[in-house]
Amino acid sequence: MKQLFITAFLLCTIPFFGQIPNTLTPSDKVYGLSKFWQEVNYNFVYLDKVDRTMWDNRYKELITIVQNTKNDYEYYRELQKICALLKDGHTNVYFPKSIEPMTAMFGDYKLFIKNIEGKAIIIRTNYSKKDEIPVGSEIIEVNGKSTQKFIDENTAPYISSSTDYVLQDLGISNLLKGLEGETFTVKIKKPNKKIIELALTHKKTEEKEVFPAETEKKLLDFKWVNKETAYISLNSFSDEKIDSLFVTKLPELYKAKSLIVDLRSNGGGSTNVGSDILQYLTNDTILYGSRQKTRDHLPAYKAWGKYIDAKDTINIPWKKKAYLSYHDQFYFDLEYNPTTIQLNAKRIVVPTVILVSHNTASAAEDFLIFADNQKHMIKMGEKSYGSTGQPFLFDLPGGGYARVCTKKDTYPDGREFVGYGIKPDIEIAPTLNDYLNNRDSVLEEAVKYLKTQKK
């Protein structure tokens, strides 16, 4: 039986693997690896948190390994794996356009998976499979391993994340990620506890209709949740059109006695886009955003620092600078300029709940930093993504590219949130029952909270 399975697996994969791009020479591969390693060493703002011995040893090991990768896909997977060692959500390696892994399509099946209560839950299928694999079914085993063991060994090592909980989210959502033709044997526990086993092979799914139907996520959504409370979702700060869309909602927002601002689907964009909206939601004349720093490179000081011990730096500034330069811990504090509000328009300063989730990231987290000292605002939901900064982008051989985070952001008082996430004032995690019953428990709790508040 085992031999038959292996043979069948090879038969189904051989046709595809002949199509994987194999354009890179051994020299190209070493150059790309070295380029990434160099840019991290020179520009990565969190290099001080990396085990340098581990990092350098892994680079040396990969010099041989990458030359022997069978194709461009295997090569880029190795780059992603070393990148993941840096544990930063703004430092990533991206496949070339010629390589397109799949996550949800398996020919006759289309499965969308989400981390709910720490489990790999199927939240949507193609319509024809909704009875065979009901929403709420759990993937409990992949290729003979428990789901968690498979994630730990086969998925998580390739994911760059600043926080453990986002790593788990991505490990689950990408649980069955692979190339066309790649096969997974999975065990699925249905809500009625019945367990089934499926052999799933990545292939384009022609069936378009899914269950439950997907709701289009607009750049901005507005509604009234009751006669007094307005709800507005800001789903991205990557398109500055959201600022003008927000302005069009002002006549309605001025009527609100309380407000819910939903950032749960906001993965970031431009910090200024978010702050331009926030200025309407405060009476303050100044908004205090994050403090920022980047690494400073002073080669001569680094050379001197090799011969200086920590004890020699006491009360001698240049020696301290040299010592820190040698250890890649010398930073330049970027000029701190709080945002001065020059807005003549009427403000909306009412009891406000900001909804956050693990998907609230980057510039959306910067929005939360600006809003941190607003007494009429609270945050509700789950911890934020825990990663922001300014990435440096550069090309890699074969058409892929990478980015390295060059800027460290903290609260104005120095508190760190990158690597930890911004903790809501009231924590609420959606449950599986919430999802199955189409219940937004976080929004419901926000409405209840606002009923207890007075302007």
Side-chain angles (χ1 to χ4, degrees):
M1 185 70 179
K2 185 176 181 181
Q3 183 62 43
L4 287 174
F5 172 77
I6 293 173
T7 302
F9 178 77
L10 290 175
L11 286 173
C12 75
T13 57
I14 285 174
F16 172 75
F17 285 117
Q19 301 171 27
I20 300 177
N22 189 22
T23 63
L24 300 174
T25 67
S27 296
D28 290 332
K29 294 174 180 179
V30 173
Y31 169 75
L33 168 67
S34 301
K35 175 70 172 173
F36 180 73
W37 182 74
Q38 174 199 31
E39 296 297 356
V40 168
N41 290 342
Y42 193 72
N43 294 310
F44 186 46
V45 73
Y46 298 108
L47 191 65
D48 61 313
K49 296 186 178 182
V50 176
D51 181 335
R52 295 299 295 277
T53 300
M54 174 278 295
W55 174 246
D56 290 343
N57 286 341
R58 185 56 185 157
Y59 166 69
K60 287 188 288 185
E61 292 168 356
L62 281 175
I63 291 173
T64 300
I65 291 172
V66 298
Q67 292 183 76
N68 293 313
T69 51
K70 296 177 182 178
N71 49 56
D72 297 357
Y73 174 70
E74 284 191 11
Y75 170 68
Y76 268 88
R77 288 274 282 174
E78 291 294 346
L79 293 188
Q80 289 183 334
K81 196 171 185 180
I82 189 174
C83 181
L85 296 175
L86 301 173
K87 298 181 179 180
D88 182 67
H90 275 61
T91 302
N92 310 86
V93 171
Y94 298 96
F95 287 119
K97 291 181 179 179
S98 58
I99 300 173
E100 298 182 14
M102 296 179 170
T103 55
M105 293 192 290
F106 301 92
D108 292 339
Y109 294 89
K110 198 170 187 179
L111 306 177
F112 299 85
I113 310 165
K114 181 180 176 68
N115 180 11
I116 301 178
E117 297 183 310
K119 300 176 181 179
I121 301 297
I122 296 171
I123 61 167
R124 185 173 289 109
T125 66
N126 47 321
Y127 193 85
S128 64
K129 300 299 180 183
K130 67 182 181 67
D131 295 324
E132 180 184 349
I133 306 177
V135 170
S137 297
E138 177 190 358
I139 297 178
I140 59 174
E141 189 176 292
V142 181
N143 292 351
K145 301 176 183 178
S146 70
T147 296
Q148 189 58 56
K149 184 177 177 64
F150 187 84
I151 290 170
D152 293 342
E153 295 180 358
N154 300 84
T155 307
Y158 301 91
I159 296 172
S160 298
S161 174
S162 301
T163 55
D164 291 339
Y165 51 86
V166 170
L167 179 63
Q168 182 70 1
D169 289 349
L170 295 175
I172 287 176
S173 63
N174 291 292
L175 177 64
L176 304 180
K177 185 175 183 177
L179 295 173
E180 184 178 356
E182 192 168 350
T183 293
F184 299 86
T185 300
V186 300
K187 285 186 179 179
I188 298 172
K189 183 168 68 174
K190 299 182 182 183
N192 64 6
K193 309 302 181 185
K194 181 180 178 181
I195 296 175
I196 63 172
E197 182 172 298
L198 293 176
L200 300 171
T201 301
H202 275 304
K203 181 183 178 183
K204 185 177 179 181
T205 303
E206 299 297 338
E207 183 180 358
K208 302 298 183 183
E209 189 175 5
V210 295
F211 180 85
E214 294 182 275
T215 304
E216 181 186 0
K217 187 71 70 174
K218 299 177 182 178
L219 188 59
L220 180 149
D221 277 310
F222 175 86
K223 65 181 179 181
W224 288 94
V225 294
N226 56 42
K227 292 181 180 180
E228 295 189 340
T229 304
Y231 165 95
I232 192 162
S233 63
L234 309 174
N235 295 321
S236 175
F237 292 144
S238 62
D239 188 338
E240 62 184 23
K241 287 192 300 185
I242 194 171
D243 287 345
S244 57
L245 289 173
F246 178 84
V247 170
T248 66
K249 302 299 180 184
L250 287 175
E252 288 290 301
L253 289 169
Y254 288 141
K255 302 173 187 176
K257 299 292 176 51
S258 56
L259 178 64
I260 295 171
V261 178
D262 194 344
L263 298 180
R264 289 177 293 176
S265 296
N266 193 319
S270 170
T271 300
N272 292 336
V273 170
S275 62
D276 285 348
I277 290 175
L278 184 60
Q279 63 182 335
Y280 287 91
L281 308 179
T282 176
N283 279 327
D284 290 352
T285 56
I286 296 177
L287 291 176
Y288 295 91
S290 63
R291 288 192 180 274
Q292 305 165 347
K293 63 173 59 177
T294 189
R295 286 170 57 196
D296 204 352
H297 301 288
L298 299 169
Y301 278 89
K302 187 170 186 175
W304 293 323
K306 179 177 175 62
Y307 307 102
I308 296 174
D309 294 324
K311 60 181 175 58
D312 301 325
T313 65
I314 300 173
N315 297 323
I316 306 178
W318 82 265
K319 284 191 174 183
K320 182 177 181 180
K321 186 184 296 186
Y323 176 84
L324 293 174
S325 295
Y326 178 72
H327 292 279
D328 297 311
Q329 294 176 346
F330 187 58
Y331 298 95
F332 176 79
D333 291 316
L334 299 173
E335 186 176 356
Y336 187 64
N337 292 312
T339 299
T340 301
I341 298 176
Q342 296 177 331
L343 183 69
N344 295 322
K346 181 181 176 182
R347 314 290 182 90
I348 306 112
V349 182
V350 294
T352 300
V353 177
I354 304 175
L355 306 186
V356 297
S357 77
H358 294 173
N359 296 322
T360 306
S362 195
E365 292 179 289
D366 297 340
F367 183 98
L368 297 177
I369 300 299
F370 277 119
D372 185 58
N373 63 350
Q374 300 297 313
K375 294 181 180 179
H376 62 290
M377 295 181 179
I378 69 158
K379 300 177 292 294
M380 186 179 294
E382 301 173 286
K383 285 183 178 179
S384 67
Y385 193 82
S387 180
T388 192
Q390 178 58 54
F392 166 59
L393 275 71
F394 53 95
D395 293 332
L396 293 172
Y401 67 99
R403 65 179 192 171
V404 170
C405 187
T406 65
K407 179 170 67 69
K408 178 177 181 177
D409 290 72
T410 67
Y411 279 91
D413 60 9
R415 284 176 292 150
E416 295 193 29
F417 65 94
V418 173
Y420 305 94
I422 295 173
K423 185 177 179 180
D425 302 291
I426 301 175
E427 288 194 78
I428 303 172
T431 66
L432 179 56
N433 281 336
D434 291 338
Y435 194 86
L436 293 177
N437 293 310
N438 197 28
R439 176 178 175 237
D440 190 338
S441 59
V442 182
L443 179 58
E444 288 180 9
E445 289 301 316
V447 174
K448 289 180 184 177
Y449 170 84
L450 290 170
K451 286 181 178 178
T452 68
Q453 305 300 302
K454 294 182 179 180
K455 184 176 179 182

